[in-house]
Amino acid sequence: MDGLFNRSLIPRPILGVTMNDLGRRFLFIKTQETPNPNSLKFIPGKPLLEEGQTVDFPNISTASNSPLSKMLFRIDGVKSVFIGHDFITVTKTDEDVEWKLLKPEIFATLMDFFATNLPVITGTVDSTEEESVENEDETVQMIKELLNTRIRPIVQEDGGDIVFVSYEDGVVKLKMQGSCTNCPSSVVTLKSGVQNMLQFYVPEIKAVEQIEDELEIRTKAEFEKFNKQLEAKRNKSAESKE
């Protein structure tokens, strides 16, 4: 997320593997780094959703309608899955989980999934486009238009998304998804990138704030609790060896 509107001309490294699907076709899956070191973007070279659509699965309990996400969540070390038009962003639990060990499992899972011809999402996918509604405030309409045309496409290139939540008393509230969630530079991006752009076109905006829904807060608390328990076990094990 760093340098959202000041991109370097140096491209991020892209790696990939090729699969021959029983001789019928070739599938080349590329990986692309994101500004979040715990998130990696996988690009299968085929559309997964409609243009501009994204779906966020912060944990396995939210993935009941996505066969692809459910398969990825079976991999030890996968924290969340985010699906865009032509990419999948996988976020690992923490820095202790190494990508060099996790990536081969993700590649294998993606290859197995695409060989099954199962749908990525079952049922309908709610549009993530910030559509204006009848009698909506002109300021809100402008904010949504700027998000859709100037901001979200750039963020999606980084494997994430920004969703409009509300606008009240000059404060815009947004929700970060995919690689943007818990990204070390997301706060900087929100203030120096998103807020500055919105304020340039809509001067009455006073601030832009990031919000977390109840599920994200609960999930984060559960992970913190788990990490503390794991750390306590490690310390106890280390003490017993001394």
Side-chain angles (χ1 to χ4, degrees):
M1 295 288 291
D2 53 327
L4 176 60
F5 304 101
N6 247 328
R7 291 189 173 282
S8 167
L9 296 178
I10 302 176
R12 292 195 178 91
I14 295 180
L15 302 173
V17 296
T18 303
M19 176 189 73
N20 184 347
D21 182 12
L22 301 179
R24 293 192 297 272
R25 62 185 172 82
F26 284 91
L27 178 65
F28 182 68
I29 301 176
K30 299 184 293 185
T31 62
Q32 181 177 317
E33 294 178 355
T34 76
N36 186 345
N38 287 334
S39 297
L40 196 60
K41 189 175 175 182
F42 293 81
I43 308 168
K46 58 185 295 181
L48 306 174
L49 300 174
E50 295 296 325
E51 188 74 42
Q53 283 186 330
T54 60
V55 186
D56 188 35
F57 300 103
N59 57 51
I60 192 170
S61 65
T62 62
S64 59
N65 66 331
S66 175
L68 171 58
S69 298
K70 284 193 289 187
M71 289 179 68
L72 289 169
F73 274 118
R74 292 172 188 164
I75 302 172
D76 187 30
V78 170
K79 178 182 179 182
S80 65
V81 177
F82 179 81
I83 302 175
H85 166 62
D86 58 358
F87 68 89
I88 305 111
T89 299
V90 177
T91 300
K92 59 191 178 85
T93 51
D94 53 44
E95 293 80 3
D96 292 336
V97 178
E98 297 185 41
W99 280 119
K100 65 180 181 181
L101 301 177
L102 199 58
K103 277 198 297 184
E105 290 192 65
I106 296 174
F107 276 130
T109 299
L110 292 175
M111 291 175 177
D112 289 343
F113 173 80
F114 288 117
T116 66
N117 292 320
L118 287 171
V120 174
I121 304 288
T122 57
T124 59
V125 178
D126 293 333
S127 174
T128 45
E129 288 287 324
E130 306 299 346
E131 298 177 356
S132 297
V133 297
E134 190 176 357
N135 299 323
E136 191 170 51
D137 183 85
E138 289 186 7
T139 300
V140 173
Q141 292 181 14
M142 177 65 76
I143 292 170
K144 289 183 175 181
E145 179 68 18
L146 288 168
L147 286 172
N148 284 336
T149 60
R150 300 294 186 91
I151 297 173
R152 293 183 66 231
I154 297 176
V155 176
Q156 288 175 15
E157 281 294 313
D158 280 338
D161 204 357
I162 294 181
V163 179
F164 175 82
V165 176
S166 66
Y167 172 72
E168 187 176 358
D169 298 328
V171 178
V172 179
K173 293 186 178 181
L174 304 173
K175 181 180 178 182
M176 315 292 268
Q177 296 182 333
S179 64
C180 302
T181 306
N182 299 321
C183 178
S185 57
S186 61
V187 175
V188 176
T189 297
L190 205 64
K191 296 299 180 182
S192 65
V194 178
Q195 180 171 299
N196 288 348
M197 175 174 282
L198 290 178
Q199 288 178 328
F200 179 82
Y201 290 99
V202 189
E204 54 264 43
I205 292 177
K206 299 175 183 177
V208 174
E209 297 179 356
Q210 175 183 351
I211 71 161
E212 295 179 319
D213 59 29
E214 185 179 345
L215 177 61
E216 288 177 324
I217 294 173
R218 187 166 63 249
T219 301
K220 185 181 292 185
E222 289 173 353
F223 267 106
E224 290 177 352
K225 182 180 179 181
F226 173 77
N227 286 333
K228 287 181 179 179
Q229 292 174 341
L230 188 62
E231 186 64 27
K233 288 182 179 180
R234 287 174 179 171
N235 292 337
K236 186 175 180 180
S237 177
E239 290 174 359
S240 64
K241 292 179 180 179
E242 291 179 355

